[in-house]
Amino acid sequence: GGRVSHGRGQSRRRALAIGWSVAAVAIVGCHQAVTTRMPTGWTDATTYVSLSETYAQWRDYDVLPKGLGVLESVVRDNRPLRLTARELLAHPDWRGLREAPGHPPLPGHPPVPDYLAAPLVGRDGRNLGLVQLSHKLDERPFTAEDEAVLVQLAQMTSSTIERLEALQGEQLARREAEAAAVVHAVLSEASAVFAERFDPEGIASALVDLVVPRLADLAIVHVVDGEGAVRMAAITTAEPSELVR
């Protein structure tokens, strides 16, 4: 089981984090797994934490990591990190849990469990996030084989993330192009209205009809009359039945 905490993470990105965390737990065999995707940094990271029944009471823990300590060393160096409990305590970037109040405890703390992490790396070499494991089910230290498996999982995760985000980028660009085309068409038609009509009432009515529903669900045009008073000249909505005049 587990739980998700995220910044501005999208649902598909979150689903990926869930899937890879669960896969890492199942394949390597450990009590704790964390997958983090960082589009631009820790402030908009999407993180999924998978915890075994041993840590079930901490599944509601929802404090996002700050990117400090050994986490930062993995992201900074873009290299896997495998440490025994003794090596973790002696690591120059080890900060304990003082930056994460309420964090699921590292068993005994001290002694802490062994630690294994692998970065998520894009094809261009930039860091995409990381996957972290701790506390093996068999209580033994992580092995070189465990590290190789996690690195392979991280590579698969990175490839999937890039494909998904490239697809999302293409879809966004297509939607933006379609929206721009609609705006251009409305502007062209509006220019024709101004060229063909000279009465303010007719222009106002034509303009709101151009805008709704292509650009908005509601459009209102106010005009200033000869005495300087402001009055509503035209109004329309995508739902005429809800229109109150």
Short mmCIF file of all heavy atoms in Angstrom, two decimals, residues 126-154:
data_model
loop_
_atom_site.label_atom_id
_atom_site.label_comp_id
_atom_site.label_asym_id
_atom_site.label_seq_id
_atom_site.Cartn_x
_atom_site.Cartn_y
_atom_site.Cartn_z
N ARG A 126 19.73 15.06 -18.46
CA ARG A 126 19.19 15.86 -17.36
C ARG A 126 18.45 14.96 -16.37
O ARG A 126 17.90 13.92 -16.73
CB ARG A 126 18.26 16.95 -17.87
CG ARG A 126 16.99 16.44 -18.53
CD ARG A 126 16.21 17.56 -19.20
NE ARG A 126 15.06 17.04 -19.92
CZ ARG A 126 13.84 16.95 -19.39
NH1 ARG A 126 13.63 17.37 -18.14
NH2 ARG A 126 12.84 16.47 -20.09
N ASN A 127 18.43 15.38 -15.13
CA ASN A 127 17.76 14.60 -14.09
C ASN A 127 16.26 14.81 -14.15
O ASN A 127 15.78 15.93 -14.28
CB ASN A 127 18.28 14.98 -12.71
CG ASN A 127 17.62 14.15 -11.61
OD1 ASN A 127 16.59 14.53 -11.08
ND2 ASN A 127 18.22 13.02 -11.29
N LEU A 128 15.51 13.71 -14.05
CA LEU A 128 14.05 13.75 -14.06
C LEU A 128 13.45 13.45 -12.69
O LEU A 128 12.26 13.66 -12.48
CB LEU A 128 13.50 12.74 -15.07
CG LEU A 128 14.01 12.84 -16.51
CD1 LEU A 128 13.41 11.70 -17.34
CD2 LEU A 128 13.67 14.18 -17.12
N GLY A 129 14.27 12.96 -11.77
CA GLY A 129 13.77 12.58 -10.45
C GLY A 129 14.61 11.43 -9.91
O GLY A 129 15.78 11.25 -10.30
N LEU A 130 14.03 10.62 -9.05
CA LEU A 130 14.75 9.48 -8.50
C LEU A 130 13.81 8.46 -7.90
O LEU A 130 12.64 8.75 -7.61
CB LEU A 130 15.77 9.93 -7.44
CG LEU A 130 15.25 10.34 -6.05
CD1 LEU A 130 16.39 10.32 -5.05
CD2 LEU A 130 14.60 11.71 -6.08
N VAL A 131 14.33 7.25 -7.72
CA VAL A 131 13.62 6.17 -7.04
C VAL A 131 14.47 5.76 -5.84
O VAL A 131 15.68 5.56 -5.98
CB VAL A 131 13.41 4.95 -7.96
CG1 VAL A 131 12.61 3.87 -7.24
CG2 VAL A 131 12.70 5.37 -9.24
N GLN A 132 13.84 5.65 -4.66
CA GLN A 132 14.57 5.31 -3.44
C GLN A 132 13.93 4.09 -2.77
O GLN A 132 12.71 3.98 -2.72
CB GLN A 132 14.52 6.47 -2.45
CG GLN A 132 15.04 7.79 -2.98
CD GLN A 132 14.78 8.89 -1.99
OE1 GLN A 132 15.56 9.11 -1.05
NE2 GLN A 132 13.67 9.59 -2.16
N LEU A 133 14.76 3.23 -2.25
CA LEU A 133 14.31 2.06 -1.51
C LEU A 133 15.02 2.00 -0.16
O LEU A 133 16.16 2.45 -0.03
CB LEU A 133 14.61 0.77 -2.29
CG LEU A 133 14.11 0.65 -3.73
CD1 LEU A 133 14.52 -0.70 -4.30
CD2 LEU A 133 12.60 0.86 -3.81
N SER A 134 14.35 1.42 0.82
CA SER A 134 15.01 1.18 2.10
C SER A 134 14.33 0.02 2.83
O SER A 134 13.17 -0.30 2.56
CB SER A 134 14.98 2.43 2.99
OG SER A 134 13.66 2.75 3.39
N HIS A 135 15.08 -0.60 3.73
CA HIS A 135 14.59 -1.66 4.61
C HIS A 135 14.11 -2.88 3.82
O HIS A 135 12.91 -3.08 3.60
CB HIS A 135 13.47 -1.13 5.51
CG HIS A 135 13.22 -2.03 6.68
ND1 HIS A 135 12.24 -1.76 7.61
CD2 HIS A 135 13.80 -3.20 7.08
CE1 HIS A 135 12.24 -2.72 8.52
NE2 HIS A 135 13.18 -3.59 8.22
N LYS A 136 15.04 -3.74 3.44
CA LYS A 136 14.69 -4.96 2.71
C LYS A 136 13.85 -5.90 3.57
O LYS A 136 14.00 -5.96 4.79
CB LYS A 136 15.95 -5.68 2.23
CG LYS A 136 16.64 -4.99 1.07
CD LYS A 136 17.68 -5.91 0.43
CE LYS A 136 17.01 -7.07 -0.28
NZ LYS A 136 17.98 -7.91 -1.02
N LEU A 137 12.99 -6.62 2.91
CA LEU A 137 12.10 -7.54 3.63
C LEU A 137 12.87 -8.62 4.37
O LEU A 137 12.46 -9.07 5.45
CB LEU A 137 11.12 -8.19 2.65
CG LEU A 137 10.13 -7.24 1.95
CD1 LEU A 137 9.28 -8.03 0.95
CD2 LEU A 137 9.24 -6.53 2.96
N ASP A 138 14.00 -9.05 3.79
CA ASP A 138 14.77 -10.11 4.43
C ASP A 138 15.79 -9.57 5.43
O ASP A 138 16.60 -10.33 5.96
CB ASP A 138 15.48 -10.97 3.38
CG ASP A 138 16.44 -10.18 2.51
OD1 ASP A 138 16.72 -9.00 2.83
OD2 ASP A 138 16.91 -10.72 1.49
N GLU A 139 15.74 -8.26 5.68
CA GLU A 139 16.60 -7.59 6.66
C GLU A 139 18.08 -7.62 6.25
O GLU A 139 18.95 -7.29 7.05
CB GLU A 139 16.45 -8.22 8.05
CG GLU A 139 15.02 -8.22 8.58
CD GLU A 139 14.50 -6.82 8.88
OE1 GLU A 139 15.33 -5.91 9.08
OE2 GLU A 139 13.26 -6.65 8.92
N ARG A 140 18.38 -7.99 5.02
CA ARG A 140 19.77 -8.02 4.56
C ARG A 140 20.11 -6.74 3.82
O ARG A 140 19.22 -6.02 3.36
CB ARG A 140 19.98 -9.23 3.65
CG ARG A 140 19.79 -10.57 4.34
CD ARG A 140 20.00 -11.71 3.36
NE ARG A 140 19.85 -13.02 4.00
CZ ARG A 140 19.96 -14.18 3.37
NH1 ARG A 140 20.25 -14.19 2.06
NH2 ARG A 140 19.81 -15.31 4.02
N PRO A 141 21.41 -6.45 3.67
CA PRO A 141 21.80 -5.25 2.90
C PRO A 141 21.42 -5.39 1.43
O PRO A 141 21.30 -6.49 0.90
CB PRO A 141 23.33 -5.21 3.08
CG PRO A 141 23.61 -6.05 4.29
CD PRO A 141 22.57 -7.12 4.28
N PHE A 142 21.22 -4.27 0.78
CA PHE A 142 20.98 -4.28 -0.66
C PHE A 142 22.25 -4.79 -1.36
O PHE A 142 23.37 -4.50 -0.94
CB PHE A 142 20.64 -2.88 -1.17
CG PHE A 142 19.27 -2.42 -0.77
CD1 PHE A 142 19.11 -1.45 0.21
CD2 PHE A 142 18.14 -2.96 -1.37
CE1 PHE A 142 17.85 -1.02 0.59
CE2 PHE A 142 16.87 -2.54 -0.99
CZ PHE A 142 16.72 -1.57 -0.01
N THR A 143 22.05 -5.52 -2.43
CA THR A 143 23.17 -6.11 -3.16
C THR A 143 23.42 -5.37 -4.47
O THR A 143 22.61 -4.54 -4.90
CB THR A 143 22.89 -7.58 -3.48
OG1 THR A 143 21.76 -7.64 -4.38
CG2 THR A 143 22.55 -8.36 -2.21
N ALA A 144 24.54 -5.72 -5.11
CA ALA A 144 24.83 -5.16 -6.42
C ALA A 144 23.75 -5.56 -7.42
O ALA A 144 23.41 -4.79 -8.32
CB ALA A 144 26.20 -5.64 -6.89
N GLU A 145 23.20 -6.75 -7.24
CA GLU A 145 22.12 -7.20 -8.12
C GLU A 145 20.87 -6.33 -7.91
O GLU A 145 20.20 -5.95 -8.88
CB GLU A 145 21.79 -8.66 -7.85
CG GLU A 145 20.68 -9.20 -8.75
CD GLU A 145 20.38 -10.66 -8.49
OE1 GLU A 145 21.07 -11.29 -7.65
OE2 GLU A 145 19.43 -11.18 -9.12
N ASP A 146 20.55 -6.01 -6.65
CA ASP A 146 19.43 -5.12 -6.36
C ASP A 146 19.63 -3.77 -7.05
O ASP A 146 18.70 -3.20 -7.63
CB ASP A 146 19.28 -4.89 -4.85
CG ASP A 146 18.91 -6.14 -4.09
OD1 ASP A 146 18.21 -7.01 -4.67
OD2 ASP A 146 19.30 -6.26 -2.91
N GLU A 147 20.85 -3.26 -6.96
CA GLU A 147 21.16 -1.97 -7.58
C GLU A 147 20.97 -2.04 -9.09
O GLU A 147 20.40 -1.12 -9.69
CB GLU A 147 22.60 -1.55 -7.25
CG GLU A 147 22.99 -0.22 -7.85
CD GLU A 147 24.41 0.18 -7.48
OE1 GLU A 147 24.88 -0.21 -6.39
OE2 GLU A 147 25.04 0.90 -8.28
N ALA A 148 21.45 -3.12 -9.70
CA ALA A 148 21.31 -3.27 -11.15
C ALA A 148 19.84 -3.32 -11.56
O ALA A 148 19.44 -2.73 -12.57
CB ALA A 148 22.04 -4.52 -11.62
N VAL A 149 19.03 -4.01 -10.76
CA VAL A 149 17.60 -4.11 -11.04
C VAL A 149 16.95 -2.73 -10.93
O VAL A 149 16.15 -2.32 -11.79
CB VAL A 149 16.92 -5.10 -10.09
CG1 VAL A 149 15.40 -4.99 -10.19
CG2 VAL A 149 17.36 -6.52 -10.39
N LEU A 150 17.27 -1.99 -9.87
CA LEU A 150 16.67 -0.68 -9.67
C LEU A 150 17.11 0.29 -10.77
O LEU A 150 16.30 1.10 -11.24
CB LEU A 150 17.05 -0.12 -8.30
CG LEU A 150 16.37 1.21 -7.93
CD1 LEU A 150 14.85 1.04 -7.91
CD2 LEU A 150 16.87 1.75 -6.60
N VAL A 151 18.36 0.23 -11.16
CA VAL A 151 18.84 1.10 -12.25
C VAL A 151 18.06 0.81 -13.53
O VAL A 151 17.66 1.73 -14.26
CB VAL A 151 20.35 0.91 -12.47
CG1 VAL A 151 20.78 1.56 -13.78
CG2 VAL A 151 21.13 1.52 -11.31
N GLN A 152 17.82 -0.47 -13.81
CA GLN A 152 17.06 -0.83 -15.00
C GLN A 152 15.63 -0.32 -14.91
O GLN A 152 15.08 0.20 -15.89
CB GLN A 152 17.08 -2.34 -15.20
CG GLN A 152 16.40 -2.79 -16.49
CD GLN A 152 16.56 -4.28 -16.74
OE1 GLN A 152 17.06 -5.01 -15.91
NE2 GLN A 152 16.12 -4.73 -17.91
N LEU A 153 15.02 -0.47 -13.73
CA LEU A 153 13.67 0.05 -13.53
C LEU A 153 13.64 1.57 -13.72
O LEU A 153 12.72 2.12 -14.32
CB LEU A 153 13.17 -0.31 -12.13
CG LEU A 153 12.66 -1.73 -11.91
CD1 LEU A 153 12.36 -1.96 -10.43
CD2 LEU A 153 11.40 -1.97 -12.74
N ALA A 154 14.66 2.25 -13.19
CA ALA A 154 14.74 3.71 -13.32
C ALA A 154 14.88 4.12 -14.77
O ALA A 154 14.29 5.11 -15.22
CB ALA A 154 15.91 4.24 -12.49
#
